[in-house]
Amino acid sequence: MNRQAREHAQNFLHQGERLIAACGYELGPGVPTPPEELIPPAEPAALNRRIEERIPGPLRRLIASQLDPRHSRPAAAANSIDRMPDAVDHLGSRMMHGKSMEGGWRSTAGEFLISRAGARGSVEGVLAVTDRRWIALTDVSPLWRSTPAMKQYWEAPRAAVSALRANPKGMLQKGRVDIEFTDGSWVAVLASPAANAAPFAAAAAYHR
């Protein structure tokens, strides 16, 4: 397994929790991006938070409602136009690489992707399974910082994942892992490095 991924995951374990496996990953090609209105707003920087704390509550809420682009009709229209090329790209990726997600945005797979987008982290992340749950981490450090700052953006009980399908037949991507959830939804990710896909899936299955 990826030693660095294990080290990152160890920092997020609860007391008495045991790490079973961890793997670096990124989303598979063609995995859709959640609609902007479903992604929670970014957390303000420390300086912004200090300024906001000095603003009276009613005024702060009024400012937030007026500045939130998700509540703006022009912004929503611009967002829909901006997403048109994405739809074309996703169609091309699906034709080349096959389907990469099943389930709506309210499914477990959808919640996973929304949480990931909301974290606003790096392209690569860490997926880990313990004796209690699944967790996903991402690096949220600024570009100028060389030391990773990992953040947990998603977790689910062990029982929420029904299977990991490593290197599914008929798919061209090396290191592909389909994460299948018990609600019937699933999402494709790519193990990093690709050679870790099968060992990670096997370790998770062995310790179910």
Side-chain angles (χ1 to χ4, degrees):
M1 283 308 149
N2 189 319
R3 185 177 68 178
Q4 187 177 45
R6 290 188 65 91
E7 291 175 353
H8 287 319
Q10 288 282 1
N11 295 326
F12 292 86
L13 299 185
H14 296 160
Q15 185 174 3
E17 189 173 20
R18 180 171 60 89
L19 179 64
I20 292 174
C23 184
Y25 88 97
E26 60 183 81
L27 294 180
V31 172
T33 302
E36 189 67 29
E37 61 269 18
L38 296 181
I39 302 175
E43 296 180 0
L47 177 59
N48 290 348
R49 286 198 299 269
R50 288 197 294 269
I51 295 174
E52 289 177 358
E53 288 171 356
R54 297 176 179 273
I55 301 175
L59 179 58
R60 185 165 63 244
R61 289 190 291 272
L62 175 62
I63 294 173
S65 66
Q66 295 300 315
L67 295 182
D68 190 342
R70 297 174 300 169
H71 299 156
S72 166
R73 289 185 178 179
N79 181 55
S80 64
I81 295 174
D82 289 341
R83 290 175 63 85
M84 289 176 64
D86 291 341
V88 176
D89 290 343
H90 290 156
L91 178 60
S93 294
R94 181 168 178 176
M95 293 176 64
M96 181 178 297
H97 301 290
K99 196 172 183 179
S100 56
M101 177 192 175
E102 177 67 44
W105 294 117
R106 294 185 181 276
S107 68
T108 307
E111 292 173 354
F112 173 83
L113 295 175
I114 292 171
S115 298
R116 186 180 189 278
R120 293 171 171 80
S122 59
V123 173
E124 291 192 358
V126 172
L127 185 65
V129 58
T130 76
D131 57 345
R132 303 176 186 176
R133 60 195 174 120
W134 292 84
I135 60 174
L137 316 173
T138 188
D139 180 10
V140 294
S141 62
L143 294 177
W144 49 264
R145 182 175 173 179
S146 59
T147 305
M150 304 304 292
K151 174 182 179 180
Q152 178 183 316
Y153 65 83
W154 176 83
E155 72 171 270
R158 283 288 304 275
V161 175
S162 58
L164 293 186
R165 308 290 183 189
N167 302 311
K169 293 182 179 180
M171 299 300 172
L172 300 178
Q173 309 101 312
K174 292 183 178 180
R176 172 164 168 158
V177 178
D178 290 350
I179 307 173
E180 300 182 2
F181 300 101
T182 51
D183 66 351
S185 64
W186 60 268
V187 64
V189 301
L190 300 180
S192 178
N196 282 349
F200 178 64
Y206 180 78
H207 292 278
R208 285 188 63 82

